[in-house]
Amino acid sequence: MAMLGAENAFTNDTYWAGAGSGLPYGGIWGQNIAYDLVMAAQDTDYQVVGFTTGSYNNLVTVSVANSDLTVTKTGVYLVGWNASVHSHAANDYSIMVKVNNGATSKDNTKAHFDSAVASTNLHVGCSAIVSFTANDTVELWAHRNDGLAVSKTLTFDHVNMHITMIGGT
Protein backbone atom coordinates (compact mmCIF):
# COMPACT_ATOMS: atom_id res chain seq x y z
CA MET A 1 0.00 0.00 0.00
CA ALA A 2 1.41 3.38 -1.00
CA MET A 3 1.30 6.29 1.43
CA LEU A 4 1.59 9.67 -0.19
CA GLY A 5 3.79 12.13 1.64
CA ALA A 6 5.01 9.48 4.07
CA GLU A 7 8.65 8.82 4.87
CA ASN A 8 10.05 5.44 5.75
CA ALA A 9 12.85 5.06 8.27
CA PHE A 10 14.61 1.71 8.49
CA THR A 11 16.74 0.84 11.48
CA ASN A 12 17.71 -2.61 10.19
CA ASP A 13 18.73 -4.10 6.86
CA THR A 14 16.05 -4.34 4.21
CA TYR A 15 15.63 -7.17 1.74
CA TRP A 16 13.12 -8.45 -0.76
CA ALA A 17 11.91 -11.98 -1.34
CA GLY A 18 10.19 -13.47 -4.36
CA ALA A 19 10.11 -12.72 -8.06
CA GLY A 20 8.94 -9.27 -9.07
CA SER A 21 9.90 -7.64 -5.78
CA GLY A 22 12.74 -5.26 -5.11
CA LEU A 23 14.46 -2.87 -7.47
CA PRO A 24 14.26 -3.35 -11.25
CA TYR A 25 17.63 -4.40 -12.70
CA GLY A 26 19.01 -6.37 -15.59
CA GLY A 27 22.13 -7.04 -17.56
CA ILE A 28 23.47 -8.55 -20.75
CA TRP A 29 27.01 -9.55 -21.71
CA GLY A 30 29.32 -11.40 -24.05
CA GLN A 31 32.71 -12.92 -23.27
CA ASN A 32 35.36 -13.92 -25.82
CA ILE A 33 32.94 -13.02 -28.62
CA ALA A 34 35.28 -11.55 -31.27
CA TYR A 35 32.29 -9.58 -32.60
CA ASP A 36 33.20 -7.38 -35.58
CA LEU A 37 31.16 -4.20 -35.87
CA VAL A 38 31.66 -2.95 -39.41
CA MET A 39 31.08 0.80 -39.69
CA ALA A 40 30.68 1.81 -43.32
CA ALA A 41 30.24 5.55 -42.74
CA GLN A 42 31.71 8.18 -40.46
CA ASP A 43 29.37 9.70 -37.83
CA THR A 44 26.73 7.01 -38.37
CA ASP A 45 25.58 5.01 -35.33
CA TYR A 46 25.63 1.19 -35.42
CA GLN A 47 24.05 -1.05 -32.78
CA VAL A 48 26.35 -3.42 -30.91
CA VAL A 49 24.69 -6.82 -31.27
CA GLY A 50 27.47 -9.05 -29.96
CA PHE A 51 25.81 -9.90 -26.63
CA THR A 52 25.56 -13.64 -26.00
CA THR A 53 24.21 -14.06 -22.46
CA GLY A 54 21.43 -12.57 -20.37
CA SER A 55 22.37 -11.78 -16.79
CA TYR A 56 20.36 -11.60 -13.58
CA ASN A 57 17.22 -9.53 -13.94
CA ASN A 58 14.15 -8.39 -12.05
CA LEU A 59 11.40 -6.29 -13.62
CA VAL A 60 13.64 -5.76 -16.68
CA THR A 61 13.29 -7.92 -19.80
CA VAL A 62 16.60 -9.15 -21.22
CA SER A 63 16.77 -10.02 -24.94
CA VAL A 64 19.98 -11.54 -26.26
CA ALA A 65 18.30 -11.88 -29.69
CA ASN A 66 17.74 -8.09 -29.85
CA SER A 67 20.81 -7.15 -27.78
CA ASP A 68 18.70 -4.96 -25.50
CA LEU A 69 17.15 -4.51 -22.07
CA THR A 70 13.48 -3.49 -21.83
CA VAL A 71 12.47 -1.28 -18.92
CA THR A 72 9.13 -2.13 -17.26
CA LYS A 73 9.08 0.66 -14.67
CA THR A 74 9.49 4.37 -15.43
CA GLY A 75 12.18 5.96 -13.30
CA VAL A 76 15.79 6.97 -12.83
CA TYR A 77 18.39 4.27 -13.45
CA LEU A 78 22.09 3.75 -12.98
CA VAL A 79 23.31 2.44 -16.33
CA GLY A 80 26.74 1.04 -17.00
CA TRP A 81 28.58 -0.58 -19.86
CA ASN A 82 32.10 -1.86 -20.44
CA ALA A 83 33.89 -3.25 -23.46
CA SER A 84 37.25 -4.67 -24.41
CA VAL A 85 37.79 -3.65 -28.04
CA HIS A 86 40.41 -3.38 -30.75
CA SER A 87 40.62 -1.99 -34.25
CA HIS A 88 42.85 -3.12 -37.09
CA ALA A 89 43.67 0.51 -37.90
CA ALA A 90 44.09 3.69 -35.88
CA ASN A 91 40.70 5.42 -35.57
CA ASP A 92 38.57 7.57 -33.27
CA TYR A 93 35.40 5.92 -31.91
CA SER A 94 32.52 6.63 -29.54
CA ILE A 95 30.24 4.18 -27.74
CA MET A 96 27.00 5.17 -25.99
CA VAL A 97 23.61 3.98 -24.77
CA LYS A 98 20.61 4.72 -26.97
CA VAL A 99 16.97 3.78 -26.50
CA ASN A 100 14.15 2.52 -28.69
CA ASN A 101 16.15 1.12 -31.60
CA GLY A 102 18.54 4.05 -31.60
CA ALA A 103 15.85 6.75 -31.63
CA THR A 104 17.30 8.68 -28.66
CA SER A 105 20.88 8.94 -27.47
CA LYS A 106 21.67 9.16 -23.77
CA ASP A 107 24.58 11.53 -24.26
CA ASN A 108 25.91 11.29 -20.70
CA THR A 109 26.68 7.59 -21.37
CA LYS A 110 29.04 8.35 -24.28
CA ALA A 111 32.72 7.48 -24.14
CA HIS A 112 35.14 8.62 -26.83
CA PHE A 113 38.43 6.85 -27.41
CA ASP A 114 41.26 6.61 -29.91
CA SER A 115 42.69 3.34 -31.13
CA ALA A 116 46.07 4.88 -31.79
CA VAL A 117 47.85 1.59 -32.43
CA ALA A 118 46.29 -1.06 -34.64
CA SER A 119 45.13 -4.32 -32.98
CA THR A 120 45.87 -3.12 -29.42
CA ASN A 121 43.14 -4.06 -26.95
CA LEU A 122 41.52 -1.15 -25.12
CA HIS A 123 39.12 -1.11 -22.22
CA VAL A 124 36.38 1.50 -22.43
CA GLY A 125 33.27 2.00 -20.33
CA CYS A 126 30.90 4.42 -18.71
CA SER A 127 28.35 4.69 -15.92
CA ALA A 128 25.69 7.38 -15.70
CA ILE A 129 22.34 8.25 -14.17
CA VAL A 130 19.62 8.18 -16.83
CA SER A 131 15.84 8.52 -16.94
CA PHE A 132 13.92 5.73 -18.70
CA THR A 133 10.24 5.32 -19.47
CA ALA A 134 8.37 2.01 -19.24
CA ASN A 135 8.83 -0.03 -22.43
CA ASP A 136 12.05 1.76 -23.44
CA THR A 137 14.53 -0.63 -25.01
CA VAL A 138 18.10 0.10 -23.91
CA GLU A 139 20.85 -0.67 -26.41
CA LEU A 140 24.58 -0.09 -26.87
CA TRP A 141 25.64 1.79 -30.02
CA ALA A 142 28.97 2.83 -31.54
CA HIS A 143 30.22 5.13 -34.27
CA ARG A 144 33.53 6.24 -35.67
CA ASN A 145 34.51 9.87 -35.66
CA ASP A 146 36.99 9.79 -38.55
CA GLY A 147 37.84 7.93 -41.74
CA LEU A 148 35.34 9.51 -44.14
CA ALA A 149 33.62 6.95 -46.39
CA VAL A 150 36.14 4.16 -45.84
CA SER A 151 34.66 1.18 -43.96
CA LYS A 152 36.26 0.49 -40.54
CA THR A 153 35.84 -2.42 -38.14
CA LEU A 154 35.79 -2.29 -34.35
CA THR A 155 36.15 -5.74 -32.77
CA PHE A 156 34.47 -6.37 -29.40
CA ASP A 157 36.22 -9.10 -27.41
CA HIS A 158 34.14 -8.67 -24.25
CA VAL A 159 31.10 -6.45 -23.62
CA ASN A 160 28.52 -5.94 -20.88
CA MET A 161 25.68 -3.55 -20.14
CA HIS A 162 23.46 -3.28 -17.07
CA ILE A 163 20.75 -1.06 -15.60
CA THR A 164 19.45 -0.68 -12.04
CA MET A 165 16.56 1.54 -10.97
CA ILE A 166 17.64 3.96 -8.24
CA GLY A 167 14.63 6.26 -8.00
CA GLY A 168 11.36 7.50 -9.37
CA THR A 169 10.79 10.26 -11.85
Side-chain angles (χ1 to χ4, degrees):
M1 177 172 76
M3 299 184 305
L4 296 176
E7 291 185 23
N8 293 317
F10 298 97
T11 57
N12 295 312
D13 291 339
T14 61
Y15 64 93
W16 295 278
S21 65
L23 299 174
Y25 60 86
I28 193 167
W29 56 279
Q31 182 176 342
N32 298 320
I33 55 176
Y35 165 69
D36 288 334
L37 181 60
V38 178
M39 298 181 218
Q42 179 179 335
D43 295 325
T44 300
D45 296 336
Y46 297 88
Q47 186 179 2
V48 177
V49 293
F51 296 98
T52 59
T53 307
S55 189
Y56 298 103
N57 62 81
N58 183 56
L59 301 172
V60 169
T61 303
V62 176
S63 174
V64 172
N66 295 324
S67 292
D68 66 25
L69 305 170
T70 302
V71 173
T72 59
K73 303 288 184 187
T74 298
V76 176
Y77 286 74
L78 177 63
V79 59
W81 63 266
N82 291 281
S84 174
V85 297
H86 69 273
S87 177
H88 301 292
N91 286 296
D92 297 333
Y93 295 99
S94 294
I95 301 175
M96 83 286 307
V97 169
K98 296 181 91 171
V99 296
N100 301 326
N101 297 312
T104 305
S105 177
K106 298 298 186 176
D107 290 337
N108 63 331
T109 68
K110 185 182 289 187
H112 172 86
F113 61 98
D114 299 327
S115 62
V117 178
S119 297
T120 299
N121 279 355
L122 302 167
H123 174 264
V124 62
C126 184
S127 64
I129 296 174
V130 176
S131 178
F132 293 128
T133 302
N135 299 316
D136 277 351
T137 58
V138 181
E139 308 107 14
L140 195 61
W141 290 71
H143 74 260
R144 60 185 177 84
N145 304 306
D146 66 353
L148 303 173
V150 179
S151 185
K152 306 288 182 178
T153 301
L154 183 62
T155 301
F156 287 77
D157 299 308
H158 308 283
V159 64
N160 73 65
M161 178 176 65
H162 56 86
I163 62 174
T164 303
M165 187 178 194
I166 59 173
T169 56

